[in-house]
Amino acid sequence: MFGNWRIGSVNGALLAAYFIPAWTLVAFNIIVAPVHGLYERPSIAVALFLSDHLQMAGMSTVRAAWLLALGRLTVVAFFAIYLALVCIPRTRRNGGSDEALGIALAIGSAISFASMVMASKVGEMAALRLHATELLLLLGAAIVLVIEKPAAAPKTVEVPAPLGLEQAELLHNR
């Protein structure tokens, strides 16, 4: 059963198993209570950067929080699409699910990198470690995805069909 799984497929499935519940919970908390959800540990660096450096207040902070939640939910959606596609053996073998994984990795890396930079600017070390770890996970998976190629399709050799009994093998029949 596991004979046709590539390292990239397993790596992507493990990443999806982490990011789908973790980022869905964070995004759901931001959607329910934007300011309170933004000031929880996974997003505290973004909240402090927005309030201290960009001096956002009130509704602007709520809009930024919802934008962050939308970005996280987009990454979760692409990881879910990847998991659905990786369950189909033919799609998994020829690398058809790699595009959804690549989009999730790109958007997730951008969010994690921006959050890591914001955490370093405000001096939030716990958030900096969290976002750096997530960024390293995403970049490692992207490197595996780029380096590992899908299995080549087997080459088929076309053999001419034998002539039936009713056809004579003449020079003009060849």
Side-chain angles (χ1 to χ4, degrees), residues 3-164:
N4 59 4
W5 279 76
R6 301 176 324 173
I7 293 174
S9 300
V10 174
N11 191 14
L14 289 174
L15 276 178
Y18 167 74
F19 279 101
I20 288 176
W23 280 28
T24 302
L25 186 62
V26 171
F28 181 71
N29 287 338
I30 290 174
I31 290 170
V32 170
V35 176
H36 179 61
L38 191 61
Y39 278 93
E40 288 182 357
R41 181 169 300 260
S43 304
I44 187 71
V46 176
L48 291 176
F49 185 83
L50 292 177
S51 65
D52 293 349
H53 292 282
L54 299 181
Q55 298 166 351
M56 283 188 178
M59 200 60 191
S60 298
T61 305
V62 170
R63 287 185 184 123
W66 283 340
L67 187 63
L68 178 65
L70 179 66
R72 287 181 183 256
L73 286 178
T74 303
V75 172
V76 166
F78 277 108
F79 271 125
I81 291 169
Y82 170 74
L83 282 181
L85 290 174
V86 85
C87 289
I88 304 169
R90 184 180 60 217
T91 307
R92 181 179 58 245
R93 264 185 253 119
N94 68 9
S97 59
D98 291 347
E99 186 175 348
L101 180 61
I103 294 171
L105 293 175
I107 297 171
S109 295
I111 291 172
S112 291
F113 181 74
S115 299
M116 184 182 70
V117 169
M118 290 178 198
S120 70
K121 291 286 185 190
V122 297
E124 186 65 37
M125 286 300 124
L128 179 67
R129 283 187 214 104
L130 172 71
H131 297 304
T133 303
E134 288 177 347
L135 180 63
L136 286 174
L137 285 171
L138 293 167
L139 290 177
I143 290 169
V144 169
L145 185 67
V146 167
I147 291 175
E148 184 183 41
K149 301 289 182 206
K155 295 182 181 181
T156 58
V157 177
E158 191 172 317
V159 178
L163 295 174

